[in-house]
């Protein structure tokens, strides 16, 4: 593995560069989830005939916008990463930010549902590649022994978006028009684009990278085991998160107007968990995965048993967000350890796996609700999904020990000079 280090940069310059990378994550978190709070507005505007007949059917069809974005992530992450691994990383991030800006702008101005649906798919394509490449750049900026912290810093933009960006932009869209909300997200991406150009130091790509070599990651059992661990873990989270609104209003004694407060508490938990998970991963990646899966199990069980009370709801949704987000930087760091030379593809493919997990969790949660098991049933689905996650990481550990590998940091950084673009 070849990673970049940046000893010649001042601490202030490194912090600014990390903030710029996190700003892109903030934009991605905003664009990924803002549609969920604006579905009725979008359905009413783009599907007026269907909405007049059945608001429920129109809202369900408008929900395809979120699915289209997720599909774009799944398709774009490995494709872009495999093709572009050899490109200079700063220039590639600039191109991805420009793509985000353009396709989000299209989402705001296109006139029909079908065209907006296509724009949302295209907007999802750069998602995984951005996070994957930004994570590698952040790891190099932080230096040896701080890869997890670097990855967590990039992901902090995503978690903070759930606390601030999504509620604020959703409010803006409800107060004005859903198109204004997407214009606001496009403005965030435009600011990211300008900031990347101005403040991110130049970093070369991997000149030896080829599509064949990058795709070789999928020939590694450890890569598959790690990707599946992340998919299952976040599947458990989204089984709960997708249905947090009816859990809050139908199980807990809260009015609909209080749902944004519950979402903020989840987002705060995610922000804290992301920070702790990144720092813990730098000490022991595998142990961090086990610890956060254990906390996830306890948090989901606590939510299932106490969600009918306000203290139980708020305490355990915070812990659910914390434990799920703590897994993310640990799994991303684990992928860096097991991917060999296929760093770019593995880092990006992680986000494809997470989006598959998102869809799986939401689907299974919907299945148990449709089967009349109640709104607390998705929480139990999330808990049961932890079991295969723990089995998968255990299988990864056993396989690695049998092959004589070390469990943490098996691929060390090799300094490469900056400005080699």
């Amino acid at each position: 593995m070849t990673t970049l280090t940046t000893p010649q940069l001042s601490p202030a310059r490194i912090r600014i560069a990390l903030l710029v990378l996190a700003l892109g994550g903030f934009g991605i978190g905003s664009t990924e989830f803002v549609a969920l709070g604006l579905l009725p507005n979008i359905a009413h505007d783009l599907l007026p005939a269907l909405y007049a007949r059945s608001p429920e059917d129109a809202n369900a069809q408008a929900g395809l916008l979120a699915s289209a974005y997720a599909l774009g992530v799944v398709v774009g992450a490995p494709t872009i990463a495999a093709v572009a691994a050899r490109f200079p990383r700063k220039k590639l991030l600039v191109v991805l930010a420009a793509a985000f800006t353009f396709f989000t702008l299209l989402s705001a101005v296109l006139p029909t549902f079908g065209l907006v649906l296509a724009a949302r798919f295209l907007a999802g394509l750069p998602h995984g590649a951005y996070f994957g490449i930004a994570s590698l750049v952040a790891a190099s900026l932080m230096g040896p022994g701080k890869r997890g912290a670097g990855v967590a810093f990039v992901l902090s933009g995503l978690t903070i978006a759930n606390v601030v960006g999504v509620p604020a932009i959703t409010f803006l869209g409800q107060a004005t028009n859903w198109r204004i909300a997407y214009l606001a997200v496009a403005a965030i991406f435009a600011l990211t684009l300008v900031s990347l150009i101005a403040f991110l130091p130049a970093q070369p790509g991997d000149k030896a990278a080829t599509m064949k070599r990058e795709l070789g990651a999928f020939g590694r059992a450890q890569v598959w085991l790690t990707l599946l661990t992340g998919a299952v873990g976040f599947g458990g989270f989204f089984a709960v998160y997708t249905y947090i609104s009816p859990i809050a209003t139908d199980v807990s004694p809260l009015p609909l107007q209080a749902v944004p407060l519950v979402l903020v508490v989840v987002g705060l938990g995610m922000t804290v968990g992301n920070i702790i998970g990144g720092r813990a991963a730098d000490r022991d990646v595998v142990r961090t995965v086990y610890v956060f899966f254990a906390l996830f199990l306890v948090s989901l069980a606590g939510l299932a048993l106490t969600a009918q009370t306000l203290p139980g709801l708020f305490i355990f949704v915070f812990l659910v967000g914390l434990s799920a987000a703590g897994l993310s930087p640990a799994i991303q760091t684990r992928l860096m350890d097991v991917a060999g030379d296929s760093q770019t593809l593995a880092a990006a493919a992680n986000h494809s796996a997470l989006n598959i997990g998102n869809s799986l969790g939401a689907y299974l949660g919907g299945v148990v609700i449709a089967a009349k098991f109640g709104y607390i049933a998705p929480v139990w689905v999330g808990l049961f999904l932890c079991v295969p996650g723990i089995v998968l990481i255990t299988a990864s550990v056993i396989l690695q020990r049998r092959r004589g590998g070390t469990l943490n940091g098996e691929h060390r950084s090799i300094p490469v000079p900056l400005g080699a673009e």
Side-chain angles (χ1 to χ4, degrees):
M1 180 189 90
T2 301
T3 324
L4 306 175
T5 57
T6 58
Q8 64 270 51
L9 294 178
S10 68
R13 180 77 187 280
I14 291 173
R15 282 195 294 271
I16 292 172
L18 290 170
L19 285 171
V20 170
L21 295 172
L23 178 62
F26 182 85
I28 293 172
S30 298
T31 198
E32 184 174 16
F33 298 119
V34 74
L36 299 180
L38 297 172
L39 286 183
N41 310 69
I42 296 170
H44 184 270
D45 186 31
L46 294 179
L47 302 165
L50 180 60
Y51 193 89
R53 294 195 305 270
S54 172
E56 293 81 5
D57 289 345
N59 287 335
Q61 187 167 335
L64 293 175
L65 295 175
S67 300
Y69 183 91
L71 180 61
V73 178
V74 173
V75 172
T79 305
I80 295 173
V83 171
R86 63 184 293 118
F87 295 170
R89 289 174 179 169
K90 175 180 177 177
K91 291 180 180 178
L92 183 54
L93 288 172
V94 167
V95 170
L96 294 173
F100 271 126
T101 305
F102 179 68
F103 293 128
T104 305
L105 184 61
L106 286 183
S107 302
V109 301
L110 288 173
T112 68
F113 179 77
L115 290 174
V116 174
L117 189 71
R120 296 313 298 152
F121 170 79
L122 294 171
L125 292 174
H127 176 124
Y130 179 91
F131 271 126
I133 295 162
S135 294
L136 295 175
V137 172
S140 75
L141 289 168
M142 294 293 288
K146 296 182 179 180
R147 296 172 307 154
V151 171
F153 207 107
V154 174
L155 293 174
S156 68
L158 181 65
T159 59
I160 292 172
N162 282 280
V163 180
V164 180
V166 174
I169 296 172
T170 299
F171 176 80
L172 174 65
Q174 291 173 339
T176 56
N177 185 283
W178 68 269
R179 296 182 185 275
I180 299 298
Y182 276 113
L183 287 175
V185 176
I188 294 171
F189 284 129
L191 178 60
T192 301
L193 172 63
V194 173
S195 300
L196 286 168
I197 294 171
F199 300 114
L200 190 68
Q203 293 198 355
D206 186 350
K207 298 298 183 183
T210 63
M211 183 179 294
K212 180 180 179 181
R213 194 192 77 178
E214 289 296 313
L215 291 174
F218 292 133
R220 294 171 176 262
Q222 289 287 12
V223 169
W224 282 107
L225 289 169
T226 306
L227 289 173
L228 289 171
T229 300
V232 169
F234 263 72
F237 172 69
F238 267 82
V240 178
Y241 190 59
T242 304
Y243 303 101
I244 196 68
S245 179
I247 289 171
T249 57
D250 288 48
V251 179
S252 305
L254 280 178
L256 184 62
Q257 295 81 0
V259 171
L261 177 60
V262 179
L263 295 176
V264 168
V265 172
V266 176
L268 287 171
M270 293 175 69
T271 302
V272 174
N274 179 62
I275 295 170
I276 296 173
R279 292 178 178 175
D282 284 327
R283 297 185 178 93
D284 192 313
V285 175
V286 173
R287 181 179 297 173
T288 299
V289 175
Y290 275 118
V291 167
F292 277 100
F293 260 125
L295 180 59
F296 200 22
L297 280 166
V298 172
S299 303
L300 289 166
L303 180 63
L305 295 173
T306 66
Q308 69 275 11
T309 69
L310 288 181
L313 175 71
F314 283 107
I315 290 170
F316 285 109
V317 296
F318 176 84
L319 291 175
V320 165
L322 185 152
S323 52
L327 284 169
S328 188
I331 290 171
Q332 186 80 79
T333 304
R334 173 70 175 165
L335 275 171
M336 291 180 179
D337 288 340
V338 302
D341 290 328
S342 306
Q343 291 288 294
T344 305
L345 179 63
N350 186 40
H351 296 276
S352 290
L354 295 182
N355 273 267
I356 292 171
N358 296 353
S359 299
L360 174 67
Y363 170 74
L364 293 177
V367 167
V368 293
I369 290 173
K372 310 300 183 184
F373 287 110
Y375 284 115
I376 208 66
V379 182
W380 292 111
V381 170
L383 190 148
F384 288 125
L385 283 175
C386 288
V387 176
I390 294 170
V391 171
L392 286 163
I393 190 62
T394 301
S396 176
V397 170
I398 293 171
L399 178 63
Q400 195 158 346
R401 282 178 172 164
R402 285 180 177 176
R403 293 181 176 179
T406 58
L407 294 180
N408 294 289
E410 69 177 82
H411 298 285
R412 298 301 181 185
S413 300
I414 301 173
V416 176
L418 248 117
E421 290 187 85

